[in-house]
Amino acid sequence: MPRIHVLEKQVAELIAAGEVVERPSAVIKELVENSVDAGATVITVEIRRGGVTYMRVTDNGCGISAEDVPVAFLRHATSKVSGQEDLDAIGTLGFRGEALASISAVSHVELFTRADGQEVGVRYACGGDEEPLLTEAGCPQGTTIVVRDLFFNTPARMKFLKKDVTEGNSVAGILDKLAMSHPEISIRFIRDGREQLHSPGDSKLSSAVYAVCGKEFSSTLIPVDYLLGHVKVHGFISTPAGCRPNRSMQNFFINGRFIRSRTAMAALEEAYKGSVMAGKFPACVLHMQVACEAVDVNVHPAKLEVRFVNERPIFDAVYHGVRSALNAGDRPKIMELKKPSPYAPVLEKKEQLTLDKPGSSNQPLFLHDSGAQQPKEPELPKAIKQALDTVPKPVFKPNPPTLVIAPPQKAVPKPALVQELKPVMTQMPAPEKPPEEKPRQIVSDFSSRILGEAFGTYIIVEYSKDQLMFIDKHAAHERLLYERLKSSHSGCEAQALLEPVTVNLDMEEYTAVIAHEQELSRAGFEVADFGAGTVLVRTAPLLLEGQDAASAVMEIAGYLASFKTEITTEHMDWVYHNVACRAAIKAGDHTSRQELISLAVELERNPQVRYCPHGRPVYILLGRREIEKQFGRV
């Protein structure tokens, strides 16, 4: 039997660090939450290579006194909890006292800090099994922590990290949530030398949402402000028209902490019942303020899940708050038509317009009001005027119209082409019958055996003398399109959009889409990185003509983000499923008889098609004996 022994301090710290520090985004989350608890109003985060080689967090908080700096890097050392009773009402983001100790165990850490009221700050350097170094340093009030070479002493952990782009997007997602949870703090994020996020910090939630999610998402939001009992709910929800194909944009905050709450999610979606289509989910940025004693945040290691003493008040407050906001904010716009103005007279006698005589060839013509003072013409001498008056003025009389008879002209010979024309016939000759076209040979005689369509969904076919076949036209068309896409080596035929479409995504979805650009291109979607969680869709599959390409990309992005471990073939199959399902004939659509025949014939040519990509049967057979049993014939 092996002997039991106590682990060395360094080994124990490496094991404990794995629970807190999983990736660079976990480091940033812990450090930024410490800055928030320190009362900072401006926080700057800078990373390089996804945070693996360099991370820096700077704040203007209260700072750390020189004597407390070495203690802060000890395990279970914190200023936020002092006794057992404090765990019953935790009002800060951090409280366990493990972050700095875990980070310094797997990286090189350098800290600069100056507390309020101190003239000189301190510099503290530590990392791994190195001896800590504490010296005086000049620095502004607040704290700056620099983390270098994450997991330099744990290669096993290092090899499980993702690409730099993926890790950087994970950090961006953490900061997006923090900016929306604390709109009073200005968050600045610098990634590889480029600023990616800068929230204003003006205490307006709308400004933070605009900085994080962009103009398009912010323009579809409805404000929520509701108080029920001791629970206050405020924030924004999306309009029913702005709902999305997944829940990735549902953001819930409890006392300034981002959480995942099934209770709040169920209340939100229950309030939207009857207002959204099936398969669509509302988006939201909702803050819930409750007493600290009514919620337990010490449940999940990442502090993302919480427990409520009583979940009913939370459900009721979110439900009624969202419902009230929908009733008040989701009203159709009333179109007001202006009444036509009465017809005003064009000109009045005293406002008649006269043409000014051009004084020179270069002078333009102007319209003048006759009431305005006109320039006087120069007067002629008196002798000239008398001479002009004696000249008789000519009188013009209109001549009566005269009839002029032209002399007879000689006949002009007609051109050869004109001579061949025959005079107009009194009777039109019977049109020649076009040659009769032979009827197109159809492989099957479905045209004579299709009895009709039931409920706008099922094609009824007399399959044989003893059986009826009911074909689900949507399932059949979807499967046939899927098989066609799957067998095509060149992928889906794409068409360029008249105007590229921007799609705002959650950071996890954004990362998944960027990582699968080639697969999406094969499916007909040309997607380009537009930065800050937004992608630009330039082309869409030709099969999706007339449909919303942005909604299709959102749905595909949600799938790719949820199932990251599947192989590429599985990803492509699901994308083909999605495209085929959207392009297929829908249940209830009007379908002509020729289309029904064509679908049934193509189904007969592909006998292997028995189930749709979702697993539903394409057709069922109903025997004659079963029908006759219902009528009592057997």
Side-chain angles (χ1 to χ4, degrees), residues 379-391:
E379 294 185 359
L380 298 175
K382 186 175 181 180
I384 298 177
K385 282 186 177 181
Q386 292 178 355
L388 292 175
D389 291 340
T390 58
V391 177

Side-chain angles (χ1 to χ4, degrees), residues 307 340 342 436 492 494 512 568 627:
R307 289 179 183 173
E436 296 183 359
C492 299
T568 304
I627 298 175

